[in-house]
Amino acid sequence: MANFHLEAKDVNVWFGARHVLKNVNLQFPENQVTALIGPSGCGKSTFIRTLNRMHELIPGAGFAGEVLLDGKDIYGEAVDPVDVRIKIGMVFQKPNPFPTMSIKENVISGLKLSGISRPDAGDLVEQSLVRASMWNEVKDRLNDPAISLSGGQQQRLCIARSLAMDPDVLLMDEPCSALDPGSTRRIEETILELKESMTIVIVTHNMQQAQRISDRTAFFLAEDNTPGHVVEFGETQQIFYGPIDPRTNEYVNGRFG
Amino acid sequence: MQAVERPKNAQPWTNLGPKVKLSSAITIIAPSVIYLAILLTTGMDFMAGLFTIFLPLQLLCGAWAGYYSYGKRGITDGLLLVVTFFLSLFVFVLLASVLWSVIESGFQALSPHFIYQNNVYVSGKTGLEIGGVGHAILGTALTVGISTLVTVPLGIATAVYLTETRDFGRGTVRTLLQAMSALPSVVSGLFIYSMLILSGWSGYSGLMGSLALIPLMLPTVSRVAEESLRLVPKDLRNGALALGAPSYRAFFMVTLPAAQSGIVTAVLLGIARVIGETAPILLTMTIANGTNLNPLQGGMATLPGYIFNYILLGDPTSIARAWGAALVLLIFVGILFAAARVASAPKKAKKRSAK
């Protein structure tokens, strides 16, 4: 079996007594984009949160299984969730730049927040903004408050903020669902550039987006009050053009969900 | 493209029509005129007539105006409008008259030396040209300042406990805070008096006064701070945690700055809550005529204590001094509330830096 960069083994999730994810097994190879698709409430967002232990912040959350990063379980006994989140970055559905900080401060906020000091913080700002393809737009107003940016720019700032931490894996939870088509296209271009240097997992409700940017796709489903699970997982082309499971076929062709 | 000029009436929703205008005018004027006529002819008591004659008349008129303008459904509208206006105006007049009486009576005592002088040279024979509340202002600043220094960290810590943790103890803490906010201030004073002063542990002093103010200030500070921390979007905190922040750094670097204006408001409201407290001060501090800057020893005057003291003396000059001190206190509270409003106003986006 090939070595995968990030791997979820038999992931089960509960909220209180409610079982919301059942036996999820997914592998995320290095330098590939994996899309998670499925109807609302099927547990995709919950699952992506288990990958950097953000899930455990929800009151009443429960977890069983393993998530291996480079072969090591991030839920292991001696593992600090803070270290996990430094290595595995996350971009949320709604842009959430820190309102009290300037653009520049936002980019390097991760360093300050995690207590890492780097002498080249100035270069890092430029580097990260370039990687998030927004350097040219903001290079003249780095000291402006971050909330003066447009929604699409704010989201790319959040990506830049994650990139400044130089993560191995970037998790994106519907990063474009609040954005216009132009901003969406730019973020998609950014994702395709970023995958050269990291592993990306993205939750999306947009079938075209999944096809455009992902190498592999996993289809989640939660039927009739049963816990969510993975129906089908494979190459994106195969999921969209030759799905094995009829439910996948119906979903990707827009007949339910 | 041809520009469309803004028409004279670009707010069609303000066109009320002649029926509404006419009936509103009658409703506003008629009851007052009738009531005034009755007052003048019979010479009855104003307040008694206000509720027995004027209010029913006004309600009747409001109901009629509503019916005349909008039919049946207008009746409740008219009645509610009258009740709302009447009660608002009533409360406003009450408040304004309280304010006015303080300003009117306090103004004659007010002068520059009244603000900075103390009372050492004041006797029963001296007039308003000597003596002031300088020592009382300093005393109030000291006692309230010490209370603030203790209460603010404690209150914010309580607010953090209530918003950031999900301990089982939260319900208890919140209930206790609510109970504390209903605590009569005299009880707080009595507690310090019996525990620390009667027991001989300490004499009357400024510090005892400060201690008595703390339980009164704490609920206000922590409740308002809690509300403002709760208003900070969860997304921001999650964003910080997802970057690998330990939760204490996420709190200090992201949540707290975002709630900053609310926290400032909490502190100012807390100060405003206790600055005029009299009962706990009277039970724990002796009143001095001179300036005392040592909160550990000796008597210390405060503004509320000063007012209480001088109003009891009873001669016209002393009463004028008490009113003057009340006016000074009122001005301080006013400044605090204005500062709270400014601090809690939504921040305008900073000017863009020069390019």
Side-chain angles (χ1 to χ4, degrees):
Chain A
M1 198 169 104
N3 268 334
F4 297 103
H5 192 202
L6 184 68
E7 186 174 0
K9 278 187 173 173
D10 287 325
V11 167
N12 281 274
V13 168
W14 294 264
F15 286 134
R18 199 160 59 90
H19 197 181
V20 291
L21 268 182
K22 190 178 169 188
N23 297 338
V24 177
N25 284 288
L26 291 178
Q27 300 81 36
F28 308 99
E30 199 156 5
N31 300 340
Q32 284 203 3
V33 178
T34 306
L36 311 180
I37 60 170
S40 295
C42 68
K44 322 176 286 295
S45 293
T46 304
F47 174 71
I48 202 171
R49 279 178 160 71
T50 64
L51 296 180
N52 72 341
R53 297 187 60 172
M54 286 299 283
H55 162 69
E56 67 199 42
L57 297 171
I58 300 161
F63 175 88
E66 284 184 322
V67 176
L68 305 176
L69 178 67
D70 293 321
K72 278 183 206 141
D73 186 8
I74 63 168
Y75 283 89
E77 263 178 30
V79 179
D80 187 347
V82 166
D83 295 331
V84 171
R85 294 177 198 140
I86 290 174
K87 283 190 195 142
I88 306 180
M90 186 162 203
V91 175
F92 296 83
Q93 180 173 1
K94 228 175 103 202
N96 57 353
F98 302 131
T100 50
M101 300 182 192
S102 68
I103 295 172
K104 190 173 150 190
E105 286 167 341
N106 257 283
V107 176
I108 48 174
S109 60
L111 295 180
K112 282 191 189 153
L113 281 164
S114 54
I116 301 169
S117 65
R118 274 181 60 161
D120 60 335
D123 298 338
L124 190 66
V125 172
E126 178 169 351
Q127 240 176 51
S128 310
L129 288 170
V130 167
R131 286 175 83 189
S133 56
M134 67 181 304
W135 172 248
N136 286 330
E137 294 162 55
V138 297
K139 65 180 173 191
D140 296 323
R141 48 185 184 123
L142 291 175
N143 292 317
D144 281 11
I147 35 176
S148 68
L149 296 170
S150 73
Q153 286 174 324
Q154 287 187 10
Q155 189 63 301
R156 276 181 287 144
L157 180 62
C158 292
I159 295 176
R161 185 173 74 184
S162 301
L163 294 177
M165 298 301 290
D166 201 17
D168 299 338
V169 180
L170 189 59
L171 309 175
M172 304 177 109
D173 187 4
E174 294 182 51
C176 303
S177 63
L179 306 180
D180 66 290
S183 303
T184 301
R185 186 177 54 82
R186 302 202 56 172
I187 287 184
E188 288 180 7
E189 285 166 6
T190 308
I191 292 172
L192 290 176
E193 281 165 31
L194 288 176
K195 78 168 188 176
E196 304 299 325
S197 53
M198 61 185 68
T199 305
I200 293 174
V201 184
I202 179 170
V203 169
T204 180
H205 275 293
N206 183 330
M207 296 299 129
Q208 285 77 31
Q209 183 173 59
Q211 291 183 55
R212 282 193 298 264
I213 60 173
S214 71
D215 303 292
R216 289 152 72 85
T217 298
F219 172 53
F220 282 70
L221 192 61
E223 293 157 309
D224 305 328
N225 294 324
T226 58
H229 59 281
V230 175
V231 172
E232 197 167 351
F233 178 45
E235 300 288 325
T236 299
Q237 291 298 316
Q238 180 253 314
I239 294 287
F240 281 93
Y241 296 108
I244 298 162
D245 196 292
R247 292 169 296 181
T248 315
N249 189 25
E250 282 185 10
Y251 185 74
V252 298
N253 288 308
R255 281 199 281 271
F256 86 97
Chain B
M1 250 172 75
Q2 210 181 343
V4 178
E5 221 173 278
R6 186 184 160 115
K8 261 197 182 143
N9 179 14
Q11 293 177 318
W13 52 89
T14 55
N15 289 347
L16 292 176
K19 264 189 168 181
V20 179
K21 278 180 191 164
L22 177 75
S23 58
S24 307
I26 292 175
T27 312
I28 293 168
I29 299 166
S32 312
V33 172
I34 296 173
Y35 180 51
L36 195 71
I38 293 175
L39 270 186
L40 289 178
T41 48
T42 62
M44 71 187 297
D45 182 55
F46 176 81
M47 282 308 267
L50 191 67
F51 284 94
T52 52
I53 298 174
F54 176 75
L55 186 58
L57 257 177
Q58 186 73 68
L59 284 171
L60 209 67
C61 242
W64 165 78
Y67 183 72
Y68 178 71
S69 315
Y70 300 110
K72 254 187 188 166
R73 74 187 173 90
I75 295 178
T76 33
D77 187 41
L79 284 175
L80 270 178
L81 212 64
V82 168
V83 169
T84 314
F85 262 91
F86 180 79
L87 291 181
S88 319
L89 214 69
F90 189 70
V91 172
F92 177 79
V93 168
L94 279 182
L95 256 179
S97 65
V98 168
L99 262 180
W100 176 244
S101 64
V102 174
I103 292 170
E104 194 192 23
S105 325
F107 196 72
Q108 56 164 323
L110 214 59
S111 62
H113 69 255
F114 188 71
I115 303 292
Y116 64 79
Q117 280 183 357
N118 63 27
N119 264 2
V120 175
Y121 302 108
V122 171
S123 69
K125 287 167 199 152
T126 43
L128 284 172
E129 65 283 348
I130 295 177
V133 292
H135 61 311
I137 293 176
L138 287 174
T140 290
L142 263 174
T143 46
V144 174
I146 293 172
S147 309
T148 310
L149 279 182
V150 178
T151 310
V152 166
L154 206 62
I156 294 177
T158 312
V160 172
Y161 176 73
L162 289 176
T163 53
E164 292 275 313
T165 69
R166 29 183 133 107
D167 261 31
F168 61 90
R170 282 191 315 176
T172 319
V173 171
R174 196 170 279 130
T175 313
L176 277 177
L177 274 182
Q178 261 160 359
M180 260 173 101
S181 63
L183 182 78
S185 59
V186 67
V187 173
S188 167
L190 270 175
F191 176 72
I192 298 293
Y193 174 70
S194 57
M195 288 297 287
L196 300 178
I197 298 177
L198 268 190
S199 66
W201 191 81
S202 163
Y204 292 91
S205 71
L207 183 68
M208 294 301 112
S210 307
L211 292 182
L213 292 180
I214 289 171
L216 303 172
M217 194 172 177
L218 187 67
T220 310
V221 173
S222 55
R223 296 286 291 184
V224 180
E226 184 200 345
E227 284 310 312
S228 65
L229 284 174
R230 207 173 283 289
L231 281 178
V232 176
K234 272 259 152 45
D235 283 353
L236 286 182
R237 183 167 174 265
N238 282 344
L241 293 174
L243 284 169
S247 37
Y248 77 94
R249 276 218 187 87
F251 174 75
F252 281 111
M253 293 180 62
V254 174
T255 313
L256 193 61
Q260 190 192 9
S261 62
I263 303 273
V264 173
T265 311
V267 174
L268 291 172
L269 287 180
I271 294 175
R273 163 80 177 79
V274 297
I275 197 171
E277 279 300 342
T278 318
I281 297 280
L282 290 176
L283 285 164
T284 51
M285 298 163 71
T286 45
I287 291 160
N289 278 330
T291 309
N292 175 15
L293 293 179
N294 181 1
L296 295 176
Q297 220 176 17
M300 186 187 268
T302 57
L303 282 170
Y306 184 100
I307 297 168
F308 183 80
N309 200 21
Y310 275 83
I311 216 92
L312 282 186
L313 287 180
D315 61 293
T317 322
S318 297
I319 288 176
R321 283 185 206 278
W323 279 110
L327 182 56
V328 171
L329 187 59
L330 206 66
I331 291 169
F332 277 129
V333 175
I335 291 173
L336 277 176
F337 271 101
R341 284 301 296 265
V342 171
S344 62
K347 267 186 198 144
K348 286 172 194 160
K350 281 180 211 158
K351 268 190 183 171
R352 290 197 170 171
S353 53
K355 293 196 175 166

